[in-house]
Amino acid sequence: MQQILQQAESRMKKTVEVTAEKLSHVQTGRATPALLDQVTVTYYGTKSPLSQVGTITTPEPRLLVIQPWDKALITEIEKAIAHSDLGFSTNNDGNVIRILVPELTTERRTELTKIVRKLAEEGKVAIRNIRRDANDAVKKLDGGDTGGGRSKGRGGDKKRGSADPVQQLTDTYVNKIDELTEAKETELLET
């Protein structure tokens, strides 16, 4: 039983981490290096994440600065950003690339809030699926008891008792996703 709970908790933690990462990619009008995590650049014939070919900093709340380690990559980085679905325009001075992150309109904020809620719901569904798997494993564990009638009765009581820790675990991790969602929505709605 303890092993089932540990596996379920481990999977739920991973789900919360994945959900947090997905939420970090939602643009909030603030510049963060995480906005460029999905951008890849061709570097010596290999697709590499932008963070592996240069330094990304945020000297101002709405400004990203990319300092490539190889100056020859500047045009390649600009192309990669232009072809991404981020909608950013770039400006370079031959040494660094500057990206001004535009302010969000009210419409766009509402749209992004819906996206945040959708991502959060996907995370919650994944956690509920983990709960279902854990409860099924507990049923199999309890079903393995082949003793007489009294034994089966104890198995049933054991099963009912074990569903509570699984549900408590589920509630804990669903609440963590709710907290992440609330923080992201607050960040989105700030002006």
Side-chain angles (χ1 to χ4, degrees):
M1 174 63 192
Q2 195 62 32
Q3 184 180 5
I4 293 169
L5 285 174
Q6 287 173 342
Q7 288 175 344
E9 184 170 20
S10 172
R11 289 176 60 200
M12 287 180 186
K13 278 182 186 176
K14 182 68 176 160
T15 300
V16 170
E17 290 169 11
V18 167
T19 302
E21 180 163 338
K22 286 180 180 178
L23 290 175
S24 75
H25 295 295
V26 176
Q27 179 188 351
T28 60
R30 277 197 192 142
T32 82
L35 291 173
L36 300 173
D37 281 353
Q38 303 302 318
V39 178
T40 57
V41 180
T42 304
Y43 185 55
Y44 290 112
T46 306
K47 289 271 186 190
S48 302
L50 187 54
S51 60
Q52 292 183 3
V53 298
T55 306
I56 304 169
T57 58
T58 53
E60 296 175 19
R62 290 186 40 231
L63 181 69
L64 286 168
V65 177
I66 304 164
Q67 171 109 36
W69 296 319
D70 182 354
K71 303 247 188 288
L73 278 177
I74 287 185
T75 55
E76 197 64 42
I77 292 171
E78 284 186 312
K79 284 181 196 173
I81 292 169
H83 291 308
S84 72
D85 61 351
L86 296 172
F88 292 148
S89 57
T90 59
N91 181 9
N92 86 65
D93 64 6
N95 293 320
V96 297
I97 299 170
R98 289 180 180 78
I99 300 171
L100 184 61
V101 177
E103 279 207 38
L104 298 175
T105 63
T106 306
E107 284 176 16
R108 183 69 178 143
R109 288 176 198 272
T110 305
E111 227 175 90
L112 290 172
T113 301
K114 289 177 186 174
I115 290 170
V116 165
R117 288 183 182 150
K118 179 179 175 275
L119 292 171
E121 189 55 37
E122 288 172 4
K124 289 179 188 178
V125 167
I127 286 177
R128 290 182 198 118
N129 288 338
I130 295 166
R131 174 189 62 193
R132 183 196 63 223
D133 293 346
N135 284 334
D136 288 349
V138 168
K139 284 178 190 173
K140 284 182 185 175
L141 186 68
D142 291 341
D145 187 355
T146 57
R150 290 189 80 191
S151 222
K152 283 184 182 173
R154 275 185 266 135
D157 290 342
K158 186 178 176 186
K159 186 185 91 183
R160 271 193 297 281
S162 5
D164 289 338
V166 173
Q167 186 58 47
Q168 288 171 349
L169 206 55
T170 302
D171 292 344
T172 299
Y173 285 95
V174 164
N175 287 338
K176 287 183 182 193
I177 287 181
D178 285 338
E179 290 168 9
L180 290 170
T181 306
E182 190 176 316
K184 191 66 173 187
E185 285 179 353
T186 301
E187 192 179 338
L188 274 170
L189 298 173
E190 286 177 356
T191 54

